[in-house]
């Protein structure tokens, strides 16, 4: 699989990760009010799959923080550019966003996590719908991007529903994020999770959702009413992580298969939330 | 002193490639490393597996970890999630003994909610292992580490370590069923300096091989940070607890071995624990921070 | 919630300008502040004086402090240096009562090596104070805080807090001589969650007014860093111990008051202790870091 | 008292201190192999006495570190320049020296400590001798400087004996430090404390010494043999400090007057070491 520039980008069976001392290429660039775009130069590269994540560790922190891979491009035999979208979500990210400078050291561990439906991303010709909320857009963006790009050559119909708290948050976002959202497929609400009325899920062969527990619950409830979606509803189940590689069991979530580590067995799990 | 710390050594009758080990709960079930990117590692002497109980345990609700400040410490409440003996046997034990032998000696970390649970588990494990494994220095398993900082349901939740007669009874019974396998007893960081000496003597008198100093320090982060409410603090600050406990017992309990654990993040810290009287150095939090920790040592 | 925490409040029958106090050992004998640059301070509710014993105590050898890492915590072994009752009376007590009345209510922090030392000291102090001072809400002194994390020479050095019957006897005798002065009992950070509840109940049953949670955590820095070998850890990490202990007793001991102490470095931390169940918030290490701490609060 | 530029510099009964957020004017300048010169802009000023010190706190540290005031000049109504000489002595100072940048924030608490013999500094016309070791030079430099300056107008004979580990350390030092040292009044030894042979202490009315415990002990032993020095031997007694203002009793040292706080009752104590 190659991108428009002919770079070999994706391996759908990526099982190998590594860890490198990365450097911020520039200070974070503001996406929306609370989301920031980080561009990291990594002295190495591993094939990755859209839907995977990295653990990023900066400053004095004992443990890394997980972030979805927004984009990761090889730039040379021993260098690559990693792009992340990071939301000011707590003390650690707030401080990072505020103080990050070009050339700052950040440890990058990745790519991590399984994306069981990855092969279908380029092979399933039936329509898919992606759902996301706020900055978690980063978690599905790489997938949407891929299907959209291939749609230019093949039939890979892809819808995208994006929930943001305010219209401003939407308008502030990167232009290419907005470009993928149809005018009727964007919800704004600070207080509730919006599900578009009259949305017919029978036409989709896969629903891929990432958002808050509330957001995912709302969609899971809806999706469970459609028999065509049996086995085809994929949710990213987030939990705080310490290692990202299965050693500590910090990130265990309840799934249909019992308790599972989000970082190793996940983060994508099929079926309803427990 | 520091560089002499690395390298092969003997401990409780077995050769180890290094006295620096992975601490329980911070190297999963070892298979994660076997399947993953970071084995073999240089300088990794042994791995203590995650805590195992006879019955399966689902563990604590999310969130399970919270990092305090920038680098102050990590609070965890994993809730000792584990598959229980039966599933451990099929998923891990058989794999290690039959199909995919580990590159490093493994220690089994054991806990229970009643004395009889500890005993039943150790008895079952010893049975399985002696059935399939070579005993002695070539075997997959090297011994048992007993986690006694667990609520004892028969004593209203008081930890096993907090009642001397309960502790005495537990250790005596474990010795009866453990058929001379090396036994380490792992104590909480909250032990007092006088208390630990008394308890270490009980260990020595019961024929225990050594003690691990120490487990995490009970801690309660601000509301909402940890699903279970409170958890155990690990990382840098724990070093001072570990050193305190080691010095309290070193040289006072015959040939009871001392295994350091708590805040070890490099050779300097291990060297300090060594001067205090420890022979083995377990590393927990630092491995989560840097899985290649062992390999990078020099 | 945080801003409502500042401002006048009532505690044990007395008005305080604020629930935020200076912790024992971190505001000297108050005269340092009286003579120095930084009084009056806004938002300083009261000052707990340095620990006092009946006999003078020279304290521990140098070095007495060691800072762990950058901001991880401070280990101290001051060794409870103090002038003893007689010199305290001439140098400080008489000054406060006769010539230079403090701007803030003072609490007396008391310790001893035997039960009778505590008793003798409190009796002597109560006698002196009631002789010279107005009692009640205008008086210079507001009450006694009893430090029970001290080695008991009659029990081979085991701390007073570690033996329930010793503790019970100590508190009963103190109550007998303290003529209804408010009494706080200050516990070590090393108390277990079950232990502290049991001991808090003993306090409540003995007519103690409240408990201070907590004193430092016993810790041993690397060799040579502390003259006495080991010391007490204070500062950021202690917050999790304080919160753990507060939550273990809050709401379970009738109207026993809870005073938070440990790692409080601002209104956010005080607010967390308040949610956990504390009414007063003592600040130690942070005052050494920033003597104008109270004044700067907002 | 005014300096050469006419600035009002010294008050010998300074009792008041304050605390300010200072800024490094430039990265530390190397004095010798291990001593570094720090220039700090302080948004305020207090009259000080040679022999006093400041507590300096930087980075994440919980407590400050004590350093002798090398020089402190008022620059405006609310600004002054503070000069310190800092030796790489442990983890904290090593890290500070390595990473300090212009504009870095440092908290300055001072001036602190008593200098009981301060008034005599400009009034005692008999000869004095100052003794110091390594970077502790900073502790007596301001006093030597003052007496030397006034010597141009009056009789204030002042000798200075400086002990350094190597000749290089001596040669590397600031030119004005070396200028005060007579060729025969400098000792080099890595292994022992050098006391100049045939030194006749009967001619001095005061001995002011600051150095390691060993260094001070050697001099105290010598000085105690001279009856003219009874009451006239002053030693700076260093101890680790947390507050610097008498609150914590970290810095207690044994003196002829019993245990005393170095920061509040000291750091200058008369008489022999205990
Ligand atoms: C697989 C995965 C991919 C992610 N991708 C992105 C991304 O692309 N962009 C982005 O902005 N964020 C992403 N996140 C969330 C991000 O990891 C957290 O926002 C971040 O770790 C918070 O760090 P902090 O230091 O600011 O929070 P802290 O101040 O340390 O913590 C704030 C609180 O949030 C809790 N917390 C931390 N991480 C999580 C989590 N993952 N889920 C639930 N609670 C948590 C902590 O327990 C803590 O109590 C992802 C999370 C996961 C699991
Ligand atoms: C009044 C006074 C004036 C001083 N003036 C100067 C000066 O002008 N220039 C200069 O370079 N240094 C001076 N010092 C010494 C300086 O304060 C210490 O070198 C510094 O605090 C060490 O900090 P650190 O973080 O590197 O040491 P750390 O790594 O924190 O400590 C190293 C070890 O040194 C011990 N230590 C720290 N301070 C002292 C001390 N003062 N005495 C003995 N042991 C200590 C600590 O206990 C610790 O174990 C002075 C000290 C005092 C008391
Ligand atoms: C995530 C995590 C899980 C742990 N699980 C266990 C366990 O199952 N059994 C046990 O005895 N100790 C467990 N511990 C404690 C560690 O083995 C070790 O005693 C403690 O973390 C102190 O060492 P450190 O400071 O190097 O982390 C765990 C620690 C962490 C951080
Ligand atoms: C230098 C120092 C001296 C102390 N002296 C005493 C004391 O004399 N009596 C006492 O009960 N506690 C003493 N303490 C403990 C403090 O009062 C407080 O309980 C502890 O430091 C935790 O609070 P903090 O984290 O805010 O410092 C001392 C603490 C320090 C740092
Ligand atoms: S984060 Fe450690 S197991 Fe998932
Ligand atoms: S440093 Fe605190 S009393 Fe001297």
């Amino acid at each position: 699989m190659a991108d428009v520039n002919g770079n070999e980008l994706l391996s759908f069976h990526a099982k190998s990760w590594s860890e490198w001392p990365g450097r911020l290429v520039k200070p974070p660039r503001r996406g929306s009010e609370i989301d920031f775009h980080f561009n990291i130069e990594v002295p190495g590269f591993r094939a990755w799959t859209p839907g995977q994540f990295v653990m990023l560790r900066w400053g004095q922190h004992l443990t890394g923080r997980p972030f979805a891979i927004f984009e990761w491009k090889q730039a040379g035999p021993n260098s690559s550019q990693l792009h992340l979208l990071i939301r000011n979500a707590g003390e650690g990210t707030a401080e990072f966003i505020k103080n990050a400078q070009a050339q700052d050291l950040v440890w990058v561990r990745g790519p991590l996590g399984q994306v069981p439906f990855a092969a279908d991303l380029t092979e399933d010709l039936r329509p898919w719908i992606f759902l996301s909320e706020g900055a978690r857009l980063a978690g599905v963006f790489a997938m949407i991007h891929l299907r959209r790009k291939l749609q230019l050559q093949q039939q890979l119909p892809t819808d995208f529903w994006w929930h943001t708290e305010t219209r401003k948050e939407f308008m502030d976002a990167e232009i290419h994020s907005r470009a993928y959202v149809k005018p009727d497929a964007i919800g704004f609400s600070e207080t509730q999770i919006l599900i578009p009325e009259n949305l017919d899920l029978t036409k989709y062969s896969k629903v891929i959702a990432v958002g808050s527990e509330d957001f995912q619950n709302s969609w899971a409830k809806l999706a469970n009413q459609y028999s065509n979606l049996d086995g085809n509803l994929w949710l990213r189940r987030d939990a705080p992580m310490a290692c990202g590689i299965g050693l500590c069991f910090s990130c265990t979530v309840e799934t249909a298969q019992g308790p599972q580590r989000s970082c190793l067995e996940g983060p994508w799990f099929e079926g309803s939330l427990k | 002193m520091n560089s002499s710390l690395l390298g092969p050594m003997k401990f409780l009758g077995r050769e180890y490639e290094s006295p620096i080990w992975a601490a329980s709960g911070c190297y999963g079930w070892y298979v994660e490393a076997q399947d993953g990117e970071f084995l073999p590692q240089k300088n990794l002497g042994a791995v203590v597996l995650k805590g195992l109980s006879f019955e399966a345990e689902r563990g604590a609700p999310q969130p399970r970890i919270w990092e305090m400040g920038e680098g102050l410490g990590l609070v965890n409440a994993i809730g000792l999630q584990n598959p229980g003996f039966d599933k451990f046997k099929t998923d891990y034990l058989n794999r290690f003994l039959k199909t995919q032998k580990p590159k490093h000696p493994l220690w089994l970390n054991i806990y229970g909610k009643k004395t009889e649970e500890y005993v039943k588990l150790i008895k079952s494990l010893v049975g399985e292992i002696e059935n399939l494994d070579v005993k002695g220095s070539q075997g997959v398993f090297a011994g048992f580490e007993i986690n006694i900082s667990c609520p004892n349901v028969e004593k209203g939740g008081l930890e096993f370590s907090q009642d001397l007669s309960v502790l005495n009874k537990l250790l005596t019974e474990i010795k009866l069923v453990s058929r001379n396998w090396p036994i380490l007893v792992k104590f909480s960081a909250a032990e007092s300096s006088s208390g630990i000496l008394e308890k270490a003597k009980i260990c020595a008198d019961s024929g225990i091989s050594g003690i691990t100093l120490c487990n995490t320090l009970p801690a309660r982060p601000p509301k909402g940070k940890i699903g279970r409410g409170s958890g155990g603090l690990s990382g840098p600050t724990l070093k001072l607890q570990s050193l305190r406990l080691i010095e309290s017992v070193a040289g006072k309990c015959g040939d009871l071995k001392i295994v350091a654990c708590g805040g070890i993040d490099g050779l300097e810290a291990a060297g300090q624990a060594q001067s205090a009287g420890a022979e083995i150095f377990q590393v927990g939090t630092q491995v989560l921070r840097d899985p290649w920790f062992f390999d990078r040592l020099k």
Side-chain angles (χ1 to χ4, degrees), chain A, chain B:
Chain A
M1 180 75 37
D3 77 359
V4 279
N5 303 319
N7 293 324
E8 200 59 40
L9 259 193
L10 307 169
S11 141
F12 292 136
H13 304 283
K15 278 229 167 185
S16 89
W17 56 269
S18 189
E19 190 171 52
W20 305 272
R23 295 275 168 194
L24 290 187
V25 174
K26 45 192 171 196
R29 185 161 52 85
R30 177 181 291 262
S32 73
E33 281 304 298
I34 42 177
D35 300 322
F36 291 78
H37 181 242
F38 281 74
N39 184 350
I40 300 164
E41 185 164 338
V42 180
F45 179 71
R46 293 285 164 115
W48 61 289
T49 300
Q52 283 191 298
F53 66 98
V54 294
M55 292 293 284
L56 208 69
R57 178 162 60 80
W58 62 89
Q60 300 298 310
H61 285 290
L62 291 178
T63 61
R65 305 283 189 270
F67 298 102
I69 301 170
F70 195 84
E71 196 159 14
W72 197 352
K73 285 194 193 175
Q74 187 153 20
N78 270 312
S79 102
S80 62
Q81 298 253 336
L82 171 67
H83 296 261
L84 306 173
L85 192 65
I86 297 187
R87 174 161 287 203
N88 181 334
E91 277 172 41
T93 45
E95 201 275 334
F96 188 37
I97 287 170
K98 191 162 150 242
N99 297 325
Q101 299 285 333
Q103 288 310 309
D104 277 1
L105 176 69
V106 286
W107 285 91
V108 176
R109 184 184 302 165
L112 304 170
Q114 320 281 332
V115 190
F117 54 87
D120 290 338
L121 264 172
T122 52
E123 285 164 23
D124 182 352
L125 303 183
R126 289 163 301 168
W128 288 25
I129 186 167
F130 291 89
L131 315 166
S132 85
E133 190 184 26
R136 285 183 162 104
L137 161 74
V140 291
F141 183 79
M143 298 189 237
I144 299 172
H145 192 59
L146 177 68
R147 280 181 64 96
R148 293 275 177 170
K149 229 161 36 180
L150 295 177
Q151 203 168 356
L152 303 175
Q153 301 142 14
Q154 309 166 18
Q155 282 304 315
L156 286 167
T158 306
D159 286 341
F160 176 41
W161 169 259
W162 191 24
H163 177 91
T164 62
E165 285 196 358
T166 60
R167 181 169 291 270
K168 183 159 184 339
E169 186 186 334
F170 175 70
M171 294 309 291
D172 275 347
E174 303 275 329
I175 186 80
H176 52 233
S177 316
R178 274 183 297 151
Y180 290 159
V181 181
K182 288 193 201 152
D184 60 343
I186 172 81
F188 311 111
S189 168
E190 292 182 45
T191 48
Q192 63 176 123
I193 303 304
L194 289 185
I195 304 277
E197 271 173 50
N198 308 326
L199 183 74
D200 181 11
L201 291 183
T202 50
K203 72 167 170 175
Y204 296 112
S205 73
K206 279 208 170 24
V207 178
I208 315 286
V210 54
S212 61
E213 196 113 341
D214 270 2
F215 179 85
Q216 300 204 7
N217 267 325
S218 308
W219 284 95
K221 220 160 77 190
L222 186 67
N224 287 337
Q225 294 162 14
Y226 291 80
S227 59
N228 60 307
L229 293 178
D230 280 3
N232 291 313
L233 169 65
W234 291 91
L235 304 170
R236 199 185 75 194
R237 303 288 308 285
D238 292 358
M241 295 181 179
C243 71
I245 52 176
L247 299 179
C248 70
F249 287 73
S250 299
C251 62
T252 304
V253 292
E254 290 295 329
T255 73
Q257 295 78 46
Q260 301 273 303
R261 282 163 292 190
S262 178
C263 72
L264 194 68
E265 284 95 23
W268 295 97
F269 294 97
E270 205 286 319
S272 55
L273 285 170
K274 277 284 155 70
Chain B
M1 168 196 69
N2 285 346
S3 58
S4 76
L5 193 147
L6 277 182
M9 52 92 64
K10 253 192 131 137
F11 179 72
L12 295 175
R14 181 167 183 153
E15 264 314 307
Y16 291 88
E17 203 186 300
S18 142
I20 310 198
W21 299 2
S24 180
C26 299
Y27 222 75
W29 298 107
Y30 188 80
V31 299
E32 297 82 3
Q34 268 185 329
D35 289 344
E37 277 269 312
F38 54 107
L39 277 183
Q41 285 219 27
K42 271 187 301 165
N43 306 316
L44 171 57
V47 169
V48 186
L49 298 186
K50 217 175 129 42
L52 180 69
S53 54
F54 195 85
E55 305 292 345
E57 171 62 56
R58 290 185 90 81
Q62 285 290 345
R64 289 179 167 193
I65 45 160
W66 178 68
E67 187 181 331
M68 188 194 183
E70 279 199 50
L72 278 176
L74 188 70
V75 177
N76 86 75
I78 308 298
L80 291 164
Q81 180 190 340
N82 81 84
F85 173 72
D86 288 338
K87 211 163 149 37
F88 173 76
K89 192 177 107 184
T90 48
D91 288 4
Y92 303 117
L93 198 121
N94 286 339
R95 166 175 169 162
F96 295 143
L97 296 177
K98 295 181 186 165
T99 62
Q100 202 176 355
K101 191 178 172 200
K103 291 200 168 60
H104 304 90
L106 304 183
W107 281 75
L108 288 152
N109 181 284
I110 300 301
Y111 79 96
K113 288 176 186 143
K114 303 178 189 177
T115 301
E116 76 170 306
E117 272 183 31
Y118 282 94
V119 172
K120 188 163 62 168
L121 176 56
I122 292 172
K123 206 167 162 179
S124 312
L125 286 166
V126 166
E128 282 301 319
I129 295 170
E130 297 200 344
N131 232 353
L132 289 168
D133 198 11
V134 260
K135 202 171 170 174
S137 68
Q138 292 312 307
V140 166
F141 294 99
F144 296 89
E145 183 180 66
I146 315 295
N147 176 357
I148 55 167
S149 320
C150 303
N152 180 344
V153 294
E154 292 164 322
K155 289 270 173 176
L158 196 73
E159 293 178 2
F160 283 89
S161 54
Q162 287 184 270
D163 182 317
L164 297 186
S165 64
V166 169
L167 178 63
N168 206 341
K169 178 160 177 289
L170 176 68
L171 301 182
T172 311
E173 299 207 6
I174 285 176
K175 274 305 284 180
L176 281 177
V177 297
S178 57
R179 294 175 42 84
N180 283 326
W181 281 81
I183 306 276
L184 295 171
V185 174
K186 185 171 180 183
F187 287 93
S188 160
E191 291 293 339
S192 74
S193 301
S194 49
I196 192 67
L197 180 56
E198 210 170 352
K199 292 169 194 176
K201 285 184 174 152
I202 293 178
C203 289
D205 293 345
S206 316
I208 295 300
S209 331
I211 58 179
T212 304
L213 301 172
C214 53
N215 213 319
T216 55
L217 183 70
R220 176 174 290 265
K223 274 219 173 75
K225 301 292 188 189
I226 284 287
R228 175 172 277 183
S230 68
L233 180 72
S234 66
T237 336
L238 219 56
K239 193 167 85 172
L240 307 198
Q241 298 307 313
S242 172
L243 289 175
R244 173 179 64 84
L245 295 172
I246 294 169
E247 294 235 1
S248 305
V249 302
K252 296 179 191 149
C253 302
D255 53 6
L256 189 74
K257 299 284 182 188
I258 301 179
V259 173
C261 182
I264 295 178
D265 57 3
L267 289 178
E268 190 185 340
Q272 289 162 352
Q274 186 181 48
S275 316
E279 290 177 49
I280 297 290
F281 315 96
Q282 293 185 2
V283 184
T285 305
Q286 181 64 21
V287 176
L288 305 180
R289 180 180 163 91
D290 175 9
W292 271 290
F293 170 78
F294 303 96
D295 214 71
R296 284 196 237 259
L297 282 177
K298 60 168 170 265

